[in-house]
Amino acid sequence: MNFDFTEEQTLLNNMVTSFVRDNYDWETRCSIVKTEEGWKQENWSQFAELGLLGVPFSEDHGGLGGSPTDLMIVMEQFGKGLVVEPYLPSVILAGGLITNLGSKEQTNQIVPKIISGDQRYVFAYAEHQSRFDLFDVKTSAAKDGDSYVINGLKSVVFGAGAATHIIIAARTSGDQRSKKGITLFMTEIGSEGITLQNYPTIDEYRASEVIIENLKVSKDTILGEVDEAYDVIEEEVDKSTIAACSEALGILEVLKDVTTDYCKNRKQFGKPISKNQVIQFRLVDMMMEYEQAKSILYMAITSDLSNPDERRKTVSALKSRMGKAIKFVGENAIQLHGGMGMTEEYMISHYFKRATMIGVLFGNVDYHMKRFIELTQSNIQKFEN
Amino acid sequence: MKTPGVTVRPIYLMDGSNEVNETWFDNVKVPAENLIGEENMGWTYAKFLLAHERSGIAGVARSKRAIERIKQIANSEMSYGKPLIQDPAFQRKIAEVELELRALEYTELRTLAKDSSGKGPGPETSLLKIKGTDIQQGLTELAMEAVGYYSNPHLGSTLSNEFVGPDYAANVAGTYFNFRKASIYGGSNEIQRGIISKMVLGL
């Protein structure tokens, strides 16, 4: 097998790497997260110029028609620089829903504006009681002539403060945990009936509570079929999970490398602490966790994502295993840095925090372990019966 | 601390809290009668104190309280449409920490029984420190895990004083990050293992 990048992928990788190197040094990044908005418009314009906003979109709409590997490349480098602009929630997740479900008119109208950087969509899916179950939706949309009236509360919507538009998952039929009956509505962030409570997250990104009160939208704002959005929501969240894990991998590489260097240079009792076997073995374990995480990401990227069962299995395998690597590499990066690692001032803690919160995003280790078990072991039970 | 020459510079930890500082001494003049004990005996005194600190760091009572709190959180949080406390995977995680804590409580009682006989705590208190901090860290992680997405909001930061999500979720991730300190301070858990291997096992 050949895991080398193609020529185009190498070019993309070099481009994102040099963007991060030239525009995202540590001081710059720290100054961005301290601003009210928590992201930088100029960086978004530059993503547009570099073509990064078009990576997942088709060439017909002016995109690059990129593959999951291309998105992995972008996200891995963003992870290395802890890039805070909402690329994952808007370009990959919301963009994926629009491409997948949008009518010809909708995609023709919206996708070019996403690619040019003029519009940013985000997807409001989580509710407090839903935890990681995407089908657990209380937010309701009631039909009112040619319109719908939406009411509900969406939790922790990443990037909403930076968005121009929002896609809301609302229940049009069925009970709270029914997979059938979920419909997606698109609307402008400023619409009457939508209130955002923006806040910084513990890892210095931005999220919002989205309060929806009697939001009136026309049926033209529906993305896809009424009642039938769930399968596509699951698919696009799965794809975004791969992207999130790619970001995590970039972060783990930094955590591992910076910690290894630190241990080589930090002297205690007259010698570098890396001369202690306990430290050496810990660093070796971190390195092995990183390599295993990378391998399972490559497994996911090269699997047949068009087959829903295969996709579900591979994504849950990836997210669960990645979460385990995040915990081991992250916690030990701090431990081996000692007091230094605990400080806000030193960059390593920021990488640890981001990696940890990616561990929660789209479902944690246990959630995906359970999903993986259900998908892979149900056949065994059937066989025995 | 107001003595001329003493300067305190705050150090912020990764959760944004300020509980440690750099303290600079620039020609600080101290009267001779303020000397504690004898000159040059500081490290010996410190080691004695550290042994006590280590038994205190174990924090058994605090961890017991934390377990109860996590159970309450897990009773309020929903998972797969039911209270999280009914999720067997989560139940098992709580139980595992709880068993470790019960054992540690008796390890501590055994250490204290020896201590009250007048010998003072020995190097075996390192065990209390390692196990106690492992448990504390495990508990902060469980609390963070219990609240799902609501571990994300960073409240009380300079940018936001708004309160979002359930009360019990406030700062659970911050506490998890903050408690990484527990296996570092009071002599890192690697150092404690070194003490046990040298002083207890004679390796």
Side-chain angles (χ1 to χ4, degrees):
Chain A
M1 284 182 96
N2 179 9
F3 292 107
D4 294 340
F5 288 155
T6 63
E7 204 174 312
E8 285 88 8
Q9 287 164 349
T10 305
L11 285 173
L12 179 65
N13 192 45
N14 292 344
M15 182 176 79
V16 189
T17 307
S18 43
F19 168 82
V20 172
R21 191 190 53 224
D22 300 340
N23 298 277
Y24 239 87
D25 61 79
W26 188 242
E27 286 72 31
T28 309
R29 193 253 176 205
C30 290
S31 69
I32 295 172
V33 300
K34 284 194 180 85
T35 60
E36 177 82 35
E37 299 75 25
W39 69 293
K40 204 170 164 191
Q41 177 71 53
E42 289 135 69
N43 284 336
W44 204 261
S45 308
Q46 205 162 350
F47 291 171
E49 243 169 74
L50 294 170
L52 292 178
L53 300 180
V55 170
F57 298 106
S58 77
E59 284 157 350
D60 298 345
H61 290 114
L64 294 185
S67 65
T69 309
D70 295 312
L71 285 176
M72 177 188 79
I73 288 168
V74 175
M75 290 308 296
E76 191 182 357
Q77 297 305 330
F78 278 1
K80 284 187 196 172
L82 291 189
V83 171
V84 293
E85 277 69 21
Y87 187 87
L88 172 60
S90 74
V91 176
I92 299 179
L93 179 52
L97 289 170
I98 293 165
T99 312
N100 201 322
L101 282 178
S103 65
K104 208 170 173 194
E105 288 85 0
Q106 285 171 328
T107 46
N108 282 343
Q109 199 199 340
I110 300 167
V111 173
K113 286 182 183 146
I114 295 177
I115 295 175
S116 66
D118 294 323
Q119 291 185 347
R120 279 168 302 282
Y121 284 69
V122 287
F123 177 37
Y125 53 95
E127 298 179 3
H128 183 200
Q129 84 291 342
S130 67
R131 200 171 176 85
F132 306 119
D133 285 335
L134 298 163
F135 50 79
D136 190 327
V137 176
K138 267 192 194 169
T139 298
S140 66
K143 201 160 193 296
D144 178 19
D146 270 352
S147 304
Y148 284 82
V149 179
I150 309 178
N151 279 287
L153 172 66
K154 291 292 180 182
S155 303
V156 197
V157 183
F158 293 100
T164 57
H165 293 71
I166 189 163
I167 304 170
I168 300 164
R171 185 155 292 288
T172 36
S173 75
D175 62 21
Q176 185 192 316
R177 289 177 57 80
S178 154
K179 287 183 180 171
K180 192 175 160 72
I182 300 166
T183 308
L184 297 181
F185 296 88
M186 298 184 289
T187 188
E188 271 185 65
I189 288 281
S191 306
E192 201 186 321
I194 292 191
T195 313
L196 297 193
Q197 278 183 298
N198 302 331
Y199 49 86
T201 58
I202 188 78
D203 54 350
E204 303 168 299
Y205 287 65
R206 293 293 188 274
S208 309
E209 301 298 286
V210 179
I211 303 150
I212 309 157
E213 285 171 305
N214 294 322
L215 168 70
K216 203 167 180 177
V217 290
S218 101
K219 66 174 175 21
D220 302 335
T221 64
I222 292 174
L223 200 52
E225 303 283 319
V226 173
D227 286 348
E228 301 293 341
Y230 176 70
D231 283 347
V232 171
I233 294 173
E234 190 194 24
E235 181 185 350
E236 291 306 324
V237 167
D238 274 348
K239 288 183 191 163
S240 293
T241 304
I242 298 178
C245 288
S246 311
E247 182 184 349
L249 188 76
I251 297 172
L252 295 191
E253 186 178 340
V254 173
L255 286 167
K256 158 184 82 75
D257 289 348
V258 170
T259 305
T260 305
D261 277 352
Y262 181 81
C263 293
K264 283 184 193 166
N265 293 310
R266 166 79 166 138
K267 288 203 172 96
Q268 194 71 35
F269 304 116
K271 61 180 186 188
I273 60 171
S274 62
K275 292 288 173 202
N276 297 299
Q277 199 172 44
V278 64
I279 304 289
Q280 291 168 355
F281 284 9
R282 194 82 53 84
L283 288 168
V284 170
D285 287 341
M286 286 168 74
M287 181 270 226
M288 293 196 296
E289 278 297 296
Y290 167 78
E291 293 297 338
Q292 287 287 85
K294 186 171 188 165
S295 296
I296 205 152
L297 177 62
Y298 278 28
M299 175 213 70
I301 293 286
T302 52
S303 67
D304 179 11
L305 297 171
S306 63
N307 174 338
D309 266 347
E310 179 70 17
R311 186 200 74 230
R312 291 182 186 112
K313 260 185 268 182
T314 199
V315 166
S316 279
L318 164 66
K319 188 66 185 1
S320 190
R321 185 61 186 85
M322 183 62 77
K324 196 175 155 216
I326 287 170
K327 176 174 155 67
F328 188 85
V329 176
E331 290 183 351
N332 278 299
I334 301 302
Q335 183 69 21
L336 295 185
H337 275 83
M340 278 288 285
M342 285 302 302
T343 64
E344 168 97 326
E345 198 173 325
Y346 193 54
M347 44 92 88
I348 202 82
S349 66
H350 300 258
Y351 281 81
F352 171 47
K353 285 191 286 183
R354 177 60 184 159
T356 303
M357 298 329 284
I358 293 176
V360 180
L361 185 61
F362 305 133
N364 58 18
V365 170
D366 278 12
Y367 181 84
H368 282 285
M369 183 66 88
K370 186 169 189 275
R371 188 173 178 236
F372 181 78
I373 290 169
E374 281 164 7
L375 289 162
T376 53
Q377 298 185 9
S378 55
N379 288 339
I380 298 171
Q381 283 158 7
K382 269 182 220 155
F383 185 71
E384 280 173 357
N385 291 339
Chain B
M1 295 301 285
K2 286 176 189 157
T3 314
V6 176
T7 316
V8 176
R9 193 180 77 88
I11 295 172
Y12 293 95
L13 297 186
M14 68 172 109
D15 60 328
S17 67
N18 169 218
E19 54 192 54
V20 289
N21 302 278
E22 267 182 349
T23 312
W24 293 86
F25 301 93
D26 184 19
N27 289 319
V28 179
K29 227 172 161 176
V30 184
E33 70 256 31
N34 286 10
L35 177 72
I36 299 169
E38 290 169 44
E39 253 186 80
N40 297 323
M41 290 296 284
W43 179 232
T44 308
Y45 302 153
K47 276 191 286 190
F48 179 77
L49 290 174
L50 284 171
H52 280 284
E53 186 195 28
R54 275 160 206 160
S55 47
I57 285 175
V60 170
R62 202 171 47 206
S63 290
K64 277 186 177 175
R65 217 166 55 225
I67 286 186
E68 290 315 306
R69 188 165 160 67
I70 289 165
K71 286 179 185 168
Q72 283 168 12
I73 295 175
N75 197 37
S76 303
E77 282 291 303
M78 299 300 280
S79 174
Y80 311 114
K82 283 187 263 176
L84 174 63
I85 195 83
Q86 293 175 22
D87 174 355
F90 201 77
Q91 285 173 337
R92 191 186 170 99
K93 282 184 178 180
I94 295 180
E96 273 176 4
V97 188
E98 206 166 341
L99 300 192
E100 202 63 28
L101 184 60
R102 285 187 176 216
L104 183 67
E105 185 174 11
Y106 274 80
T107 307
E108 183 165 64
L109 287 172
R110 284 164 58 210
T111 311
L112 288 172
K114 215 167 149 194
D115 193 11
S116 59
S117 69
K119 284 195 284 185
E124 59 276 22
T125 53
S126 292
L127 189 161
L128 299 177
K129 198 270 172 175
I130 296 170
K131 286 290 160 192
T133 53
D134 270 359
I135 289 168
Q136 289 160 25
Q137 290 179 333
L139 289 170
T140 61
E141 191 187 354
L142 275 184
M144 176 171 76
E145 199 178 313
V147 303
Y149 275 117
Y150 275 114
S151 54
N152 277 280
H154 188 200
L155 305 167
S157 72
T158 50
L159 286 164
S160 168
N161 291 312
E162 276 184 272
F163 197 90
V164 296
D167 290 5
Y168 52 71
N171 206 33
V172 286
T175 307
Y176 164 75
F177 292 125
N178 180 281
F179 259 77
R180 302 317 308 165
K181 70 189 175 188
S183 49
I184 296 169
Y185 66 24
S188 74
N189 288 8
E190 287 81 4
I191 292 288
Q192 306 298 345
R193 284 185 170 85
I195 292 171
I196 295 175
S197 71
K198 197 166 143 194
M199 310 291 286
V200 181
L201 300 178
L203 304 176

